[in-house]
Amino acid sequence: MRKTVLIVEDDDELRRGLGLRLRSFGYQVAEAADGYAAVSVARQLQPDAVLLDIGLPGGDGITVLDRYSQLMQLAGIPVVVLSGRDPFATEPLLRKYGVSAFLRKPADNEELRAALAAALELPAAS
Amino acid sequence: MDDTSSFRLLIVEDSPSDAAMLRAELATGPLAGATLEQATTLEAALDRLALARYDAVLTDLGLPDSDGFDTFDAVVEAAGDAAVVVLTGRDDEQLADEAVVHGAQDYVVKGHRRPGDLARAVRYSVRRQQLLTELRVARDAQLAQKDNFLSHVSHELRCPLAVVHQFASLLADGIAGELNAEQRDLMTVLIGNVEQLKAMIDDLLLASRAGSGTVVIEPETVEPAPLLAETATAFGPAAAERGLTLVHDPYPLPPVVADPKRVREILINLVDNALKFTPRDGRVTVAAAAEDGFVRFVVRDTGCGIDAAALPHVFDRFYQAEQSDSISRNGLGLGLFVCRDLVRRQGGELTAASDVGTGTTMSFTLPLAPGHDMSKA
């Protein structure tokens, strides 16, 4: 049974590229382009993991994480953050939400694969 | 010039007659309305400087509880933005001269002054000190602005770069269809350049942070062996691709105090360099051993080496080696500069040894965690 990853990214082109990449890793992919969709789609779909951008309209990634943590059905979902922001600035905040990994854009595809596998507790090698 | 009648002056002088003469001299002329306070010991002077703000401090260097440069250094440090004017006897002019070089704005010689000399020295000293303060404030503001700008630029560039990188790699990996040989070739060049852009953007951010000391180091007790193993594993494919042997000797090691994220970054940087500068069939070794109070990490290569003239400069900001593989990432030449800073801030030192044609050894130390001595390694 293939795992589902929800990609939360407001840049349409990047979201499309990441979707293709994650499908090539063997995942099923769902998409959200803003903070509100990140929560409503997650609620509906219960993805196995979330790939989350921080800079989002309609509720940035941090408020999304906050909302996930408040909702019982979403609080346990592993999240990998993929952001253009400086990790040194946001990492302490993200650790508070138990983020599984923090990747910097542009992400190395192997790192992305490994981070998702680890988040889903799957063997890392393809 | 500023309203000198509102000046606040602190006189640090233990001789009552000298102090009286100072007050008399200042009582007429432009500083007549200034507020004068007096301290007769260094301790009292430091108390006053801590508790109130002054425009100028007139200080003798010989006090009951301190003498000469000790007095001077203590006063200058405590004075903050106040101008320091040294009061000196005729025999002490050389000392006073040195004081000016080290932070005093001026000195006045006791007993040999024309009327008005003292007031003028004080007024101009205050003005010059104010200019210094203005410069410092402006410089700090500019540095902050520069850091913010670089951080902003680095962030903005990442987003389109992420799209370029992902789409190029999707094509290169055949995910949108098989490529012919020529297409694969073109894609390799494309991706190589994207990697280089990425390296430069990463360095842009480092450039802003390295100077301003805003990199956060969060030390903890770290096991070095897994970090080394991780680095060796991560670079396995890259080494194989370049026809290089990556050797890692997994000895048990005592724990160190360090920030594991920074140690990872340092190791990645050093191994990346080693791979970059070592020709095919060469060897890169990653190892570590406990020493007196430290664990020493070593990344050794059998590459082209660094010549003796360049070796002292490898840690300079923006240093770029002249020969490097065109396929690999060049960045802006900040890697070793930042690595050394990171190592130092964790209590260690990063050094380089090299012989042209034989290879280079980069080595850095990190302090052992307390309670673990060398004999347990």
Side-chain angles (χ1 to χ4, degrees), chain B residues 99-176:
Chain B
V100 170
V101 169
H102 286 105
Q105 281 294 345
D106 205 346
Y107 69 84
V108 285
V109 182
K110 294 186 198 190
H112 288 268
R113 292 193 289 273
R114 293 168 306 175
D117 275 3
L118 177 62
R120 185 171 53 246
V122 171
R123 280 158 59 222
Y124 291 167
S125 292
V126 170
R127 186 60 188 134
R128 285 192 299 272
Q129 191 67 36
Q130 281 172 347
L131 287 173
L132 281 179
T133 301
E134 280 169 31
L135 278 175
R136 178 177 48 82
V137 168
R139 186 202 66 201
D140 289 347
Q142 280 183 330
L143 281 177
Q145 214 179 28
K146 178 206 70 167
D147 289 347
N148 287 339
F149 175 68
L150 287 177
S151 174
H152 175 71
V153 164
S154 166
H155 173 258
E156 291 305 300
L157 290 174
R158 277 175 200 284
C159 298
L161 187 66
V163 175
V164 171
H165 179 259
Q166 188 59 253
F167 279 58
S169 66
L170 286 168
L171 284 167
D173 293 346
I175 289 172

Side-chain angles (χ1 to χ4, degrees), chain B residues 57-225:
Chain B
V57 181
L58 281 61
T59 182
D60 192 337
L61 293 183
L63 296 170
D65 59 343
S66 178
D67 216 15
F69 256 91
D70 289 339
T71 307
F72 175 71
D73 285 340
V75 170
V76 164
E77 199 185 314
D81 291 332
V84 175
V85 175
V86 172
L87 304 165
T88 181
R90 275 194 76 179
D91 315 323
D92 289 333
E93 276 196 60
Q94 197 178 357
L95 182 67
D97 208 29
E98 236 183 278
V100 170
V101 169
H102 286 105
Q105 281 294 345
D106 205 346
Y107 69 84
V108 285
V109 182
K110 294 186 198 190
H112 288 268
R113 292 193 289 273
R114 293 168 306 175
D117 275 3
L118 177 62
R120 185 171 53 246
V122 171
R123 280 158 59 222
Y124 291 167
S125 292
V126 170
R127 186 60 188 134
R128 285 192 299 272
Q129 191 67 36
Q130 281 172 347
L131 287 173
L132 281 179
T133 301
E134 280 169 31
L135 278 175
R136 178 177 48 82
V137 168
R139 186 202 66 201
D140 289 347
Q142 280 183 330
L143 281 177
Q145 214 179 28
K146 178 206 70 167
D147 289 347
N148 287 339
F149 175 68
L150 287 177
S151 174
H152 175 71
V153 164
S154 166
H155 173 258
E156 291 305 300
L157 290 174
R158 277 175 200 284
C159 298
L161 187 66
V163 175
V164 171
H165 179 259
Q166 188 59 253
F167 279 58
S169 66
L170 286 168
L171 284 167
D173 293 346
I175 289 172
E178 273 305 305
L179 298 181
N180 64 37
E182 190 182 6
Q183 286 168 337
R184 249 189 317 241
D185 237 358
L186 296 176
M187 289 311 305
T188 302
V189 174
L190 185 60
I191 298 216
N193 278 269
V194 172
E195 296 288 341
Q196 185 163 345
L197 278 173
K198 176 177 188 295
M200 290 170 116
I201 291 176
D202 284 340
D203 277 1
L204 247 186
L205 191 63
L206 283 178
S208 73
R209 281 200 266 112
S212 60
T214 51
V215 174
V216 172
I217 305 261
E218 293 171 302
E220 47 186 269
T221 301
V222 180
E223 293 290 340

Side-chain angles (χ1 to χ4, degrees), chain A residues 43-107:
Chain A
R43 248 215 193 105
Q44 236 181 341
L45 233 53
Q46 299 285 325
D48 297 294
V50 176
L51 182 62
L52 178 68
D53 181 21
I54 297 295
L56 298 169
D60 77 6
I62 298 178
T63 55
V64 168
L65 282 169
D66 199 54
R67 188 63 185 142
Y68 280 1
S69 70
Q70 293 168 356
L71 297 170
M72 212 176 63
Q73 68 268 46
L74 298 184
I77 296 185
V79 175
V80 172
V81 166
L82 175 62
S83 176
R85 305 262 174 106
D86 185 351
F88 295 112
T90 47
E91 228 169 322
L93 188 56
L94 298 179
R95 230 177 290 136
K96 171 178 164 207
Y97 294 110
V99 165
S100 177
F102 189 117
L103 299 174
R104 202 85 196 277
K105 287 181 193 174

Side-chain angles (χ1 to χ4, degrees), chain B residues 133 295 326 328 357 365 368:
Chain B
T133 301
V295 167
S326 58
S328 57
T365 51
L368 286 178

